[in-house]
Amino acid sequence: MISLKNISKKFSTKQGTIIAVDDVNLEISQGEIYGIIGYSGAGKSTLIRLLNGLEKPTSGHLTINDEDITSISEDQLRKVRHKVSMIFQHFNLLWSRTVAENIAFPLEIAGVPKEQRAARVEELIELVGLEGRGNYYPAQLSGGQKQRVGIARALANRPEVLLCDEATSALDPETTDSILDLLVDINEKLGLTIVLITHEMQVIQKICNRVAVMEAGQVVEEGDVLEVFQNPQRPITQRFVSQVSDTSQAKQTIKNLVDLYPNGKLIKLVFVGEQTEQPILSRLIKQFDLEVNIVQGNISHTKSGAFGTLILQLDGDALAVDEGIRFIHEQKVHTEVINND
Ligand code: ADP
Ligand code: MG
C-alpha cells in the first residue's frame, strides 16, 4: 500500500547539509500496524512527514496505493492528505474550540454540510470513548482524553492511513496502554493502516505487526515484530529489545543455575508464537509424579503471540523425570536440557 524506494531527505543549513533520511526502502501493507523505532534525531519524524507530503523527498520514489506522490501536483497532494491523516505527541488541538468543534474542524475545511458534520462528530466521539465530553475545552481534559480528541479529529474524513508521531510519548504508562488499545480497536474496526513512530519498544511490542529500526537516517533492521524480538541483529536493535526483555542477563546466569540446582534436571523451554506456558506446566504437574520448580522465566507478549524462555527444574524419580521431558518435547515448544547428570 505504501512503498518507499530509495527515499532520501537532505536539509541545507548554515552548518552544512544534514541527511535526515538516508536511502530508505520500505513496504507497508494495507491494514497493518507498522512501527518505526529509533532514538531522537534518527530521522523518524522527517520520514513520517514524507508519507503525507508535508516534506518532499530529495530523491527516491514514494507511492501510496500505486500513486507516486513524489511527482503529483499540489491539488492532487491535498487529496492524498485526506487519505493520510496524522496525530502528534502534543496533540495540536485548537485550545479555544470545544472537543466537538475540534473534531468538526477538518470536516468544515472539507466543506461537509452542518447537519452531516454534527452526526459525524457524534459518531467519532463515541468511537474514541469521549461520550459526554463534547462541550469540554481541551484544557479541561486529561492527556489521554486530549489524544482521543486528536484521534477523532484525524479520523473525521475517513482516512486510509493514520500516522502517529510519538502519540503516546507525553502520556503515563496506563494512559499509553489505553490509547494503544484504542489504536488497535480502530485498526480492526475500520481496517485502517497505522504507521507509528516511537522511541519506546513497549509500544512496538504491544501493537505492531512489523517494525523498522532507524539509526542516523537509515533503516538498519526490519521485519516481523516477533522475529526481531527473538533474534535482533544490530546492537541498536538489541538495546531496544532489552528494554522489554533482558535476555543477555538470562544467558549469563544459566551457568550459575546449574550450580544452584544440582538435583534433577534443568529444562529450558523456548516459547515462540501462539503457545503459552500455562497448560504445559499444569499438565506436567498433574500427570507426572514430579517436583516442578520455576527457576527463571522471561515471557513477553507481542501482538503476534508470546515469546521468551522458561527454565524449570524437574526433580523426582529418574524415570518420571524422563517421562516429563518426553511430554514437554511432544508439546509445540522448543525444549533443551541444560544439565545431563
Ligand atoms: P527524530 O524524529 O527521529 O527525532 P527528525 O526527523 O526530527 O528525527 O530529525 C532528523 C535530523 O534531521 C535531525 O538531525 C534534525 O535536526 C534534522 N532536521 C529535521 N528537520 C529539519 C529541518 N526542517 N531543517 C534542518 N534540519 C532538520
Ligand atoms: Mg521526532
Side-chain angles (χ1 to χ4, degrees):
M1 176 188 204
I2 302 174
S3 164
L4 285 79
K5 293 224 157 61
N6 306 109
I7 287 284
S8 292
K9 175 69 185 179
K10 295 176 186 166
F11 292 109
S12 303
T13 68
K14 279 181 197 145
Q15 288 77 34
T17 305
I18 292 171
I19 308 176
V21 174
D22 189 2
D23 196 25
V24 165
N25 291 284
L26 283 183
E27 297 285 335
I28 299 170
S29 311
Q30 166 98 45
E32 77 174 329
I33 305 185
Y34 195 97
I36 299 169
I37 190 165
Y39 293 114
S40 178
K44 306 181 297 295
S45 292
T46 306
L47 183 71
I48 212 166
R49 287 163 60 82
L50 289 164
L51 299 184
N52 63 357
L54 280 176
E55 299 279 4
K56 278 207 171 304
T58 312
S59 57
H61 285 282
L62 202 167
T63 56
I64 298 181
N65 282 338
D66 298 325
E67 185 173 29
D68 190 334
I69 70 158
T70 35
S71 58
I72 58 174
S73 67
E74 223 10 76
D75 219 32
Q76 287 168 306
L77 200 57
R78 255 194 295 278
K79 290 204 190 97
V80 170
R81 289 205 192 109
H82 270 278
K83 292 209 163 68
V84 185
S85 208
M86 189 155 171
I87 58 172
F88 308 88
Q89 180 173 4
H90 296 294
F91 323 120
N92 292 14
L93 302 180
L94 299 163
W95 299 97
S96 60
R97 284 183 162 231
T98 63
V99 166
E101 288 165 351
N102 264 283
I103 300 171
F105 190 60
L107 298 167
E108 287 168 31
I109 293 182
V112 176
K114 200 169 176 187
E115 300 80 67
Q116 282 179 35
R117 268 193 334 242
R120 180 72 182 138
V121 168
E122 267 318 299
E123 237 173 67
L124 289 159
I125 282 183
E126 199 186 310
L127 180 70
V128 301
L130 284 175
E131 292 95 336
R133 297 285 198 293
N135 293 322
Y136 283 46
Y137 286 89
Q140 298 171 287
L141 301 177
S142 70
Q145 290 170 331
K146 284 178 197 146
Q147 194 55 288
R148 284 171 193 270
V149 180
I151 292 170
R153 184 185 55 185
L155 298 179
N157 283 315
R158 305 179 195 279
E160 291 173 25
V161 182
L162 180 66
L163 307 175
C164 312
D165 188 345
E166 301 274 4
T168 56
S169 299
L171 306 175
D172 62 65
E174 263 172 48
T175 314
T176 292
D177 275 350
S178 77
I179 293 296
L180 295 179
D181 287 341
L182 176 62
L183 290 177
V184 171
D185 190 44
I186 57 178
N187 162 258
E188 287 170 358
K189 264 196 202 139
L190 311 176
L192 191 75
T193 307
I194 297 181
V195 183
L196 65 83
I197 62 180
T198 182
H199 62 277
E200 294 173 313
M201 205 57 175
Q202 290 89 329
V203 171
I204 303 283
Q205 175 187 13
K206 190 151 193 265
I207 71 166
C208 293
N209 307 107
R210 285 198 297 148
V211 61
V213 183
M214 268 191 101
E215 189 174 29
Q218 296 180 329
V219 169
V220 295
E221 192 160 349
E222 204 263 342
D224 286 339
V225 168
L226 202 55
E227 281 171 30
V228 170
F229 266 74
Q230 269 171 255
N231 200 9
Q233 301 293 313
R234 298 293 190 107
I236 182 177
T237 316
Q238 287 161 3
R239 273 207 299 283
F240 277 123
V241 170
S242 71
Q243 278 180 8
V244 283
S245 65
D246 206 340
T247 45
S248 56
Q249 194 194 344
K251 270 181 199 136
Q252 272 188 351
T253 50
I254 281 178
K255 289 187 204 76
N256 308 345
L257 290 178
V258 178
D259 299 336
L260 275 170
Y261 294 86
N263 300 329
K265 280 185 180 171
L266 284 183
I267 313 290
K268 182 167 136 189
L269 310 185
V270 181
F271 295 91
V272 180
E274 301 304 320
Q275 331 89 342
T276 58
E277 68 279 21
Q278 292 307 335
I280 296 179
L281 275 192
S282 59
R283 285 171 59 196
L284 187 65
I285 293 165
K286 275 191 201 136
Q287 290 179 20
F288 303 91
D289 188 18
L290 285 174
E291 290 226 22
V292 181
N293 290 316
I294 297 178
V295 172
Q296 193 176 78
N298 187 334
I299 308 278
S300 297
H301 295 272
T302 73
K303 193 158 188 270
S304 344
F307 79 96
T309 58
L310 194 61
I311 296 177
L312 304 177
Q313 180 198 30
L314 305 188
D315 200 4
D317 182 79
L319 207 63
V321 169
D322 281 346
E323 277 180 1
I325 291 173
R326 200 169 327 121
F327 164 79
I328 299 170
H329 274 304
E330 283 162 10
Q331 313 304 309
K332 278 195 207 136
V333 61
H334 176 80
T335 329
E336 216 175 277
V337 178
I338 297 175
N339 63 338
N340 259 324
D341 41 289

